[in-house]
Amino acid sequence: MPMPQPQPQLPETQGKALPDAWDYKGRPADPSKTGGWISAAMILGVEANERLTTLGIAVNLVTYLTGVMHLGNATSANTVTNFMGTSFMLCLLGGFVADTFLGRYFTIAIFTTVQAVGVTILTISTIIPSLRPPRCSATCTPATGTQLGVLYLALYTTALGTGGLKSSVSGFGSDQFDDTSKEEGSQMTRFFNWFFFFISIGSLCAVTILVYIQDNVGRQWGYGICASSIVVGLFVFVAGTKRYRFKPLVGSPLTQIAAVYVAAWRKRRLELPSDPSLLFNVDDVADPGSKKKKQELPHTKDYRFLDRAAIKNPEMSAIVTKVNKWYLSTLTDVEEVKLVLRMLPIWATTIMFWTIYAQMTTFSVSQATTMNRHIGRSFQIPAASLTVFFVGSILLTVPVYDRVIVPVAAKILHNPHGLTPLQRIGVGLVFSTMAMVTAALTEIKRLHAAKSHGLVNDPNAQIPLTVFWLIPQFFFVGSGEAFTYIGQLDFFLRECPKGMKTMSTGLFLSTLSLGFFFSSILVTIVHKVTSKRPWLADNLNQGKLYNFYWLLAVLSGLNFVAYLVFARGYVYKQKRLAEEGYELEEEGPSSHA
């Protein structure tokens, strides 16, 4: 089916055709026949399936690796965090491909197919006996290199599909609404509410229904349901092709950042003019066929090295019609890159939260497998389903914040929105530290129960201690995510330059990715350093997992102190520009994965 190609300029149209969107044949989009809620609903289905699949695999993967593949606790934890970290990191690749080459529609269609292939391979690996080690008898035989190779092929193919899909699905959904229309603009806001609702629904189904099926019916059925749902979602998505609105490629903000650095490096030996007005800027470009120019930003004195990117060749005319961006950048482009650089200290100090978050899908699940998970005499909660308390605390914290905290904070802080984005992130960081403190105390209690009942040497024994002792650590991390997640999104969206809005999603997703990867690095280091008396033993009853939690609590506390220093010194973009006499232009809604 032919798809629209980016065009430099739309032909003149009659009626109410949209000036910046096309239908599937490349014609100006008719609002009455394209976009709107029908199109958005088909896209929401793809996101629900993505979340169902990703969490359906991740939250229960550690029990599969330890119980079926017979890997150690540390190795299993690293496998899970590397899988999740790669999924989020590949979102950056997917966003670059969508913005620069394929567009969001093709990116979603292609990477959803890739995800379906990955989950299908994973399903097959649970069906064929030769692709997993034999059951434990007197000893347990770990998975072979071939068996692990097939497993890793399935996981990282799935991660590739997840990354590409997640990078574009919310943005393509927002493309179905015209933000210049008052009616559709309000519909777009509701779309994002529904988008996060579908994320929550997918998460709840994953940690309850899917995990139960995996543990009690069979992994092949659980993963098979994931694969089938992805395929169904893909067919529904493609079926809506004729109704979608397509936007032109906008280019990746990473290209702009790279171009500014390259241009500055190439002119590193040139002397900067004493008057910043002599630097090349948006008003020096004459391009009548181009879209609306960027809002000009004032010159700032920090990161002066980058200003060299805007040094104009004296032989150039006053008005330039064509620019090589790898040699000459506008001063506004340079200042936009500076805005991103100023956010990096805040960005770096939010990574630690997601390292603690990673423990909820690894060692916390391992703890749960050793504890009493029965409700009544017959029903036993799957270990990975404890994350339902994590999801529940998120859903509880959001309305409490809106109904209780915002009115109180508004009166105390004289801020109608309650807490600022940086304050919300700070609250989340405090909660994450409290989570590790409670996790360490709970682990000490769990080990005491194991010792008092003589179960230290039996890794498969059920300790007579209810699994609900783990709820506080899930609650604190879940509530912390409600503050940190929304605070990060709000902060990056506000502070990213208008011309680099997709960068806000990239900055946010990279903190998740690096948080998971840092967890893997930390686990590897701790496991090697404590190898003689392991903290992270394969038999948790013989380990000192509580020391690992104490270490995370200390690191989180130190990280919070650093965050406070950077947050207190940070000046919001709007305030900085107001001090220079500039007023921000109106910005439409943006989207995040």
Side-chain angles (χ1 to χ4, degrees):
M1 183 175 294
M3 294 301 303
Q5 298 297 320
Q7 303 173 29
Q9 188 175 7
L10 283 169
E12 292 185 2
T13 59
Q14 297 180 348
K16 297 181 180 180
L18 299 176
D20 62 344
W22 295 272
D23 64 12
Y24 76 108
K25 288 187 176 181
R27 301 168 302 194
D30 184 343
S32 65
K33 298 179 180 178
T34 61
W37 278 112
I38 295 178
S39 301
M42 294 179 173
I43 298 168
L44 286 172
V46 175
E47 174 56 28
N49 287 325
E50 179 276 320
R51 185 51 61 100
L52 176 77
T53 299
T54 303
L55 274 187
I57 294 173
V59 297
N60 208 22
L61 183 57
V62 71
T63 62
Y64 180 72
L65 296 172
T66 55
V68 178
M69 305 304 281
H70 305 152
L71 301 181
N73 278 321
T75 303
S76 299
N78 282 352
T79 300
V80 175
T81 51
N82 288 338
F83 165 66
M84 293 298 290
T86 302
S87 297
F88 287 115
M89 187 60 74
L90 287 173
C91 289
L92 302 180
L93 173 63
F96 178 79
V97 170
D99 289 340
T100 310
F101 301 107
L102 295 179
R104 289 167 175 162
Y105 172 86
F106 279 121
T107 301
I108 293 172
I110 291 172
F111 283 96
T112 301
T113 304
V114 172
Q115 187 186 43
V117 171
V119 181
T120 300
I121 296 173
L122 183 61
T123 305
I124 293 173
S125 72
T126 62
I127 296 174
I128 301 177
S130 61
L131 294 180
R132 59 184 187 275
R135 293 178 179 271
C136 294
S137 52
T139 59
C140 294
T141 304
T144 64
T146 300
Q147 292 166 342
L148 288 177
V150 174
L151 176 65
Y152 292 152
L153 174 64
L155 289 178
Y156 288 105
T157 302
T158 303
L160 175 61
T162 300
L165 166 62
K166 184 181 284 291
S167 67
S168 297
V169 67
S170 62
F172 191 56
S174 67
D175 287 345
Q176 307 312 307
F177 302 96
D178 178 16
D179 57 9
T180 63
S181 164
K182 184 177 181 180
E183 180 183 355
E184 291 200 7
S186 63
Q187 289 177 347
M188 186 189 297
T189 301
R190 294 204 303 274
F191 166 77
F192 289 123
N193 293 335
W194 281 104
F195 179 77
F196 287 110
F197 174 79
F198 271 75
I199 285 178
S200 300
I201 291 297
S203 300
L204 283 174
C205 290
V207 302
T208 53
I209 299 172
L210 267 184
V211 168
Y212 182 84
I213 292 174
Q214 290 171 14
D215 283 0
N216 295 278
V217 181
R219 294 275 175 170
Q220 65 272 26
W221 287 101
Y223 295 148
I225 290 172
C226 290
S228 300
S229 68
I230 295 170
V231 172
V232 171
L234 178 60
F235 275 112
V236 172
F237 174 75
V238 174
T241 299
K242 292 184 178 181
R243 285 203 56 89
Y244 295 141
R245 295 175 188 171
F246 302 88
K247 297 289 182 75
L249 301 181
V250 296
S252 172
L254 296 176
T255 304
Q256 177 180 330
I257 295 174
V260 168
Y261 269 94
V262 169
W265 177 257
R266 294 174 71 173
K267 290 179 281 189
R268 62 190 180 279
R269 293 185 175 87
L270 298 182
E271 185 177 350
L272 283 168
S274 57
D275 185 357
S277 64
L278 298 176
L279 294 172
F280 185 68
N281 212 340
V282 290
D283 292 332
D284 298 325
V285 182
D287 190 2
S290 68
K291 59 185 179 182
K292 182 181 177 181
K293 291 182 179 180
K294 291 182 178 180
Q295 179 186 15
E296 185 175 335
L297 297 178
H299 176 258
T300 55
K301 295 181 179 179
D302 48 352
Y303 306 109
R304 289 294 304 276
F305 168 77
L306 295 178
D307 290 349
R308 287 181 167 81
I311 297 178
K312 188 167 64 170
N313 189 326
E315 299 177 358
M316 297 177 67
S317 60
I319 300 298
V320 181
T321 57
K322 189 174 183 180
V323 178
N324 178 0
K325 63 183 178 182
W326 299 99
Y327 184 78
L328 181 63
S329 299
T330 66
L331 181 59
T332 292
D333 284 341
V334 173
E335 290 300 326
E336 287 184 340
V337 173
K338 288 182 182 181
L339 285 173
V340 174
L341 291 177
R342 292 188 192 102
M343 291 188 286
L344 292 185
I346 301 296
W347 168 86
T349 47
T350 57
I351 292 172
M352 191 65 205
F353 176 86
W354 300 106
T355 297
I356 290 175
Y357 174 96
Q359 311 317 310
M360 298 301 102
T361 58
T362 53
F363 291 116
S364 292
V365 175
S366 296
Q367 286 177 285
T369 60
T370 68
M371 302 171 75
N372 179 12
R373 292 177 278 120
H374 284 90
I375 297 179
R377 294 183 177 181
S378 58
F379 183 74
Q380 180 171 262
I381 305 171
S385 287
L386 263 292
T387 48
V388 73
F389 295 105
F390 169 76
V391 177
S393 65
I394 296 174
L395 298 178
L396 176 65
T397 301
V398 171
V400 169
Y401 175 80
D402 287 338
R403 299 292 182 179
V404 180
I405 298 177
V406 169
V408 174
K411 293 181 179 179
I412 297 175
L413 302 175
H414 306 291
N415 179 6
H417 301 292
L419 302 178
T420 66
L422 291 178
Q423 289 170 338
R424 294 185 75 162
I425 294 172
V427 172
L429 294 179
V430 171
F431 275 24
S432 67
T433 304
M434 294 171 63
M436 290 299 95
V437 171
T438 57
L441 295 175
T442 301
E443 177 60 10
I444 292 173
K445 184 176 183 64
R446 192 193 68 82
L447 285 179
H448 178 74
K451 291 176 182 178
S452 62
H453 290 85
L455 302 174
V456 172
N457 297 319
D458 186 357
N460 299 315
Q462 184 181 94
I463 298 172
L465 182 68
T466 177
V467 76
F468 295 120
W469 278 100
L470 297 177
I471 290 179
Q473 64 202 60
F474 282 100
F475 172 80
F476 280 124
V477 174
S479 296
E481 185 189 1
F483 282 95
T484 302
Y485 188 107
I486 299 174
Q488 278 186 285
L489 288 179
D490 193 5
F491 174 74
F492 291 133
L493 176 59
R494 284 191 193 192
E495 299 305 298
C496 269
K498 184 177 181 181
M500 302 171 68
K501 280 305 173 186
T502 55
M503 192 72 189
S504 58
T505 302
L507 286 169
F508 168 66
L509 293 175
S510 62
T511 62
L512 273 74
S513 176
L514 293 175
F516 281 106
F517 284 136
F518 183 62
S519 176
S520 296
I521 293 171
L522 204 58
V523 167
T524 300
I525 293 173
V526 167
H527 197 52
K528 287 186 177 180
V529 172
T530 66
S531 57
K532 292 184 179 180
R533 300 183 66 182
W535 290 4
L536 309 175
D538 293 341
N539 178 357
L540 283 184
N541 299 333
Q542 296 177 342
K544 297 180 178 180
L545 179 60
Y546 58 89
N547 279 342
F548 182 66
Y549 285 148
W550 285 128
L551 174 63
L552 286 172
V554 171
L555 291 176
S556 180
L558 294 174
N559 177 77
F560 179 66
V561 172
Y563 173 81
L564 285 180
V565 172
F566 294 132
R568 284 178 64 87
Y570 188 85
V571 180
Y572 284 101
K573 178 179 67 174
Q574 188 171 17
K575 182 179 179 181
R576 184 188 296 270
L577 293 180
E579 291 173 351
E580 297 288 339
Y582 284 74
E583 184 178 350
L584 283 176
E585 295 178 354
E586 290 287 331
E587 299 180 8
S590 184
S591 59
H592 300 276

